[in-house]
């Protein structure tokens, strides 16, 4: 197989020209997000350049400690993104989310890298990109799941009050809400699995094919990562909600 | 003097919601009155223990309320809140759902008809609850809680969505049913005429701060 065509910096910059089209469409449609588009493009560029250099350094000088530090930072950032600004969550709920995200992500990642791919978890070339996909998707799943859960219990306040007054255990009242939120959080991942290969060629597979990997190898990785993502989303959202909702009532079965 | 049903002393929920001393009597229709914001609904929630006071003492049948299992207590001391909630299904379907949530068998249809008639639910039992008016919803809601025949029935503004004539009829039917079945009653109402007509023990709560 041929390797990927190296992008020269000038050629590469040409891709930014496409953003002019987006800008024009936004202007025409009176979407006042041109500032966001510029900031987003700039942030993406700067963040990825930095990460690119860091990864290049880590791959050239593989060191278990560096890999673990990188992994820890990824997890910390994803936890922060999942709970920041959520004033409706109490402290215990936030701890539940953080713990669930870290444990589920790490479990699926370790299984994937050490058992399926048979590489060391300290090997940055496998651990870091796979962790990004697994933990990033788990974070998105948790965002959807928690948002759905909190919104639905707020919306159904009179139902919850009625069931409390009826003498129903808060656990039995909240459990169906948690189940519904988990279902909602899982749908995007399941939908993308359904459309995969027909509607779109997923990013990781595209990347591997571009860099010269045999498509048959690329699809195996893609299938594996999709199953890994599905599992980490499912597990992390399930654990977050099931640990978290118990913080919404006390041992006198009263809502807090 | 008989032991009161509920007795509170120096009960404090929040700084502006305090109940210095109150007695709720057994075998009487107890009414809780006071201007809005004085904490009438809060008192009912303290009584069914869906909230706890910050300090003070609340006795139910002479025993501190904390000594009761909260779930058992709420089934025994049943609070019909001001805001009715019904599932999006028929009136009878709602009875079925509420009974299955409480894990007790549905009573026979004669009994359900009897209770809904008492509460002047004048719609067919197979009508969907989402099509009911505010007053109809309130009456169906009360009838479901009443049908469980709890030991103590707490009603929070039970006639707020009803016209005067219906209010009096419903209150008469409910109080008669409760007396016949030894159900203790504690009612929050701001309707002076209703209070004057039905109250046998009036507990006035004064707004603080």
């Amino acid at each position: 197989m041929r390797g990927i065509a190296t992008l020269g910096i000038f050629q590469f910059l040409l891709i930014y020209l496409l953003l002019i089209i987006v800008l024009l469409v936004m202007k025409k449609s009176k979407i006042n997000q041109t500032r966001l588009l510029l900031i987003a493009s700039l942030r993406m560029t700067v963040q990825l350049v930095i990460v690119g250099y860091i990864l290049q350094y880590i791959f050239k000088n593989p060191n278990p400690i560096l890999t673990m530090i990188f992994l820890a930072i990824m997890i910390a950032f994803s936890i922060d993104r999942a709970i920041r600004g959520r004033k409706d969550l109490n402290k215990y709920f936030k701890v539940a989310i953080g713990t669930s995200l870290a444990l589920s992500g790490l479990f699926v990642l370790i299984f994937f890298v050490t058992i399926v791919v048979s590489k060391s978890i300290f090997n940055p070339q496998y651990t870091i990109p796979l962790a990004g996909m697994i933990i990033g998707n788990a974070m998105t799943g948790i965002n959807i799941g928690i948002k759905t859960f909190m919104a639905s219990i707020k919306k159904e306040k009179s139902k919850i009050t009625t069931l409390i007054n009826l003498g129903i255990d808060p656990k039995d009242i909240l459990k169906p809400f948690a189940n519904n939120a988990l279902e909602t959080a899982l749908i995007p991942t399941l939908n993308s699995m359904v459309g995969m290969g027909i509607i779109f060629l997923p990013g990781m597979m595209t990347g591997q094919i571009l860099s010269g990997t045999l498509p048959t190898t690329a699809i195996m990785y893609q299938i594996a990562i999709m199953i890994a993502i599905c599992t980490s989303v499912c597990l992390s959202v399930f654990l977050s909600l099931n640990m978290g909702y118990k913080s919404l009532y006390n041992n006198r079965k009263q809502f807090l | 003097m008989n032991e009161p049903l509920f007795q509170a002393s120096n009960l404090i929920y929040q700084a502006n919601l305090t109940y210095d001393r109150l007695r709720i009597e057994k075998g009487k229709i107890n009414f809780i009155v006071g201007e809005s914001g004085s904490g009438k609904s809060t008192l009912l929630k303290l009584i069914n223990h869906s909230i706890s006071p910050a300090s003070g003492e609340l006795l139910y049948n002479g025993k501190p309320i904390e000594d009761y299992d909260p779930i058992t207590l709420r089934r025994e001391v049943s609070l019909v809140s001001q805001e009715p909630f019904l599932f999006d299904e028929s009136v009878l379907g709602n009875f079925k759902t509420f009974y299955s949530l409480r894990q007790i068998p549905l009573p026979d249809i004669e009994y359900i008809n009897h209770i809904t008639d008492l509460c002047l639910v004048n719609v067919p039992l197979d009508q969907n609850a989402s099509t009911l008016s505010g007053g109809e919803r309130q009456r169906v809601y009360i009838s479901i809680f009443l049908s469980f025949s709890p030991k103590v029935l707490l009603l929070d503004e039970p006639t707020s969505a009803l016209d005067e004539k219906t209010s009096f009829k419903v209150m008469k039917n409910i109080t008669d049913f409760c007396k016949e079945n030894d159900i203790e009653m504690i009612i929050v109402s701001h309707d002076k005429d209703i209070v004057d007509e039905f109250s046998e023990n009036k507990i006035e709560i004064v707004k603080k701060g």
Side-chain angles (χ1 to χ4, degrees), chain A residues 88-158:
Chain A
D88 52 348
L89 297 178
N90 61 44
K91 203 173 155 196
Y92 180 90
F93 212 133
K94 288 181 177 172
V95 172
I97 291 173
T99 317
S100 309
L101 186 54
L103 287 182
S104 321
L106 283 175
F107 164 70
V108 175
L109 178 70
I110 291 169
F111 182 81
F112 196 142
V113 175
T114 62
I115 297 177
V116 179
V117 193
S118 292
K119 294 280 178 189
S120 158
I121 193 69
F122 300 117
N123 182 333
Q125 194 196 339
Y126 288 88
T127 292
I128 292 175
L130 292 173
M133 296 184 76
I134 291 168
I135 293 167
N137 280 283
M139 180 191 82
T140 309
I142 286 179
N143 271 334
I144 299 173
I146 298 294
K147 204 172 160 189
T148 308
F149 177 75
M150 294 310 282
S152 59
I153 60 170
K154 199 174 162 193
K155 192 171 146 245
E156 302 266 23
K157 199 163 188 308
S158 73

Side-chain angles (χ1 to χ4, degrees), chain B residues 48-65:
Chain B
N48 90 331
H49 204 47
S50 56
I51 55 175
S52 281
S55 64
E57 192 180 50
L58 178 61
L59 303 178
Y60 170 45
N61 283 329
K63 219 168 88 174
I65 199 145

